[in-house]
Amino acid sequence: MVLDPVLAGTRAPASPADVVVLGWHHFYDRSTSGVGLLSDGLLHTAELLALVAGFFLYADLRRRRALAPAHAWSGFFLGLGAFQLFDGIVDHKLLRLHQIRYGVDVTPYDWAWNIAGLVLLLIGVILALRAARRSGAGPAS
């Protein structure tokens, strides 16, 4: 099932990305630094649970010999791209939970973040189409 790797894919980039930029921002940084740290802790707890759940579901597919690696990779990249675009558009711009950086022009950061997310999403779509074609489960013509 493609959704199992999607679950892992949506969470895989979150923790390393947050560790790298932890000095720049918190998940919610429009309050005190204590509230920011609390929001980070809650977010990382949810990320870890989702990542572990995704890998357990992945392992179950392998155990049942139901894993289709091409579909799994497509799901992983779809999850990576979906997370990044959601974070860049919804969290950063619409909800304004946090920005990538403060005190600088964030436009280049926003463009780089969202374009990278779009590229990852596109890779996932291409892999999903190839996997569907190979398995004969593609859309009816």
Side-chain angles (χ1 to χ4, degrees):
M1 175 171 215
V2 172
L3 292 180
D4 301 342
V6 168
L7 183 61
T10 59
R11 302 319 327 143
S15 291
D18 287 344
V19 168
V20 170
V21 299
L22 196 56
W24 293 351
H25 78 295
H26 299 287
F27 174 67
Y28 181 76
D29 57 10
R30 295 176 66 188
S31 185
T32 66
S33 60
V35 170
L37 286 173
L38 175 64
S39 71
D40 289 344
L42 294 173
L43 174 67
H44 289 299
T45 300
E47 289 169 358
L48 182 59
L49 290 173
L51 191 59
V52 169
F55 281 117
F56 267 99
L57 292 168
Y58 177 82
D60 183 57
L61 286 173
R62 286 187 55 119
R63 182 188 58 78
R64 292 185 288 124
R65 299 185 192 276
L67 179 66
H71 288 282
W73 279 111
S74 70
F76 187 74
F77 277 96
L78 287 168
L80 286 170
F83 163 78
Q84 197 147 333
L85 281 176
F86 181 87
D87 184 54
I89 295 169
V90 176
D91 290 345
H92 292 183
K93 296 303 164 197
L94 297 177
L95 298 177
R96 296 192 178 276
L97 290 176
H98 60 259
Q99 291 299 313
I100 294 175
R101 292 200 64 183
Y102 289 95
V104 299
D105 179 17
V106 296
T107 305
Y109 292 97
D110 288 337
W111 278 103
W113 185 257
N114 290 323
I115 288 171
L118 193 57
V119 167
L120 291 167
L121 196 60
L122 186 59
I123 290 169
V125 168
I126 291 168
L127 290 175
L129 291 173
R130 284 185 184 170
R133 241 182 274 135
R134 287 183 188 154
S135 68
S141 335

